[in-house]
Amino acid sequence: HKTFTRSEKTPNRTQLIKDYVMDGGSFLMVGGYMSFTGIDAKTRYGMTEVKDILPVKCLDVDDRAEHPEGIVPTVVKEHEAIKGLPAQWPHFLGYNKTLPIEAGEVLVEIGGDPLVAVGTFGKGKSAVFTSDCAPHWGPPEFINWEYYDELWKGILNYSTAN
């Protein structure tokens, strides 16, 4: 926050993240109020260099898709990142709405939008999970899901494999 509070130059962290992935690193973005475009469009990762390594496109407006009634994801593509997970997933209470892109593979949809997507960028890989990994959009039914650990292991193993 040196730039904001003291008007000092600092490295562009979003450029460093992009460079890291392009050089063979991996990146996972998980949803929430301050992720993707975020609440009141405050976060705006789609307007930073991170957009170039995301397997989805961020919206230009507040992207929160609230579903207090609960919304159930749908597996739309078999992939090593979600191998062994059942077709039936627990419900969520919301997510960050994003759009699919050609460079990404949408594996799981929620409300017709990407929930889990992966992609290769340069020498690296990235993945997104567009809802919370914990409350508030991730209810106890998700947090306590018997496949919760397997979900994250699969996504992380895919993202870090060469």
Side-chain angles (χ1 to χ4, degrees), residues 59-130:
L59 302 184
D60 294 333
V61 297
D62 187 322
D63 63 2
R64 293 170 300 147
E66 300 282 356
H67 285 274
E69 75 284 5
I71 186 167
V72 178
T74 304
V75 175
V76 295
K77 184 173 185 179
E78 290 185 26
H79 190 277
E80 63 185 290
I82 57 170
K83 185 178 179 183
L85 298 181
Q88 184 66 37
W89 286 36
H91 73 273
F92 289 84
L93 301 174
Y95 62 95
N96 296 90
K97 181 177 176 60
T98 61
L99 301 172
I101 62 170
E102 193 172 314
E105 293 181 80
V106 176
L107 310 180
V108 182
E109 289 182 348
I110 189 164
D113 301 315
L115 174 66
V116 178
V118 297
T120 300
F121 301 90
K123 297 177 186 172
K125 296 179 181 178
S126 75
V128 297
F129 183 85
T130 63

Side-chain angles (χ1 to χ4, degrees), residues 12-22 27-30 35-37 43-58 101 121 126-128:
N12 181 335
R13 293 179 182 160
T14 59
Q15 182 65 53
L16 294 174
I17 292 169
K18 176 184 173 180
D19 293 346
Y20 171 74
V21 172
M22 297 302 280
F27 180 74
L28 169 63
M29 182 175 277
V30 176
S35 191
F36 296 95
T37 305
T43 314
R44 302 180 301 140
Y45 281 103
M47 297 178 73
T48 72
E49 290 77 3
V50 167
K51 75 180 179 311
D52 299 329
I53 56 158
L54 289 178
V56 294
K57 181 181 186 320
C58 295
I101 62 170
F121 301 90
S126 75
V128 297

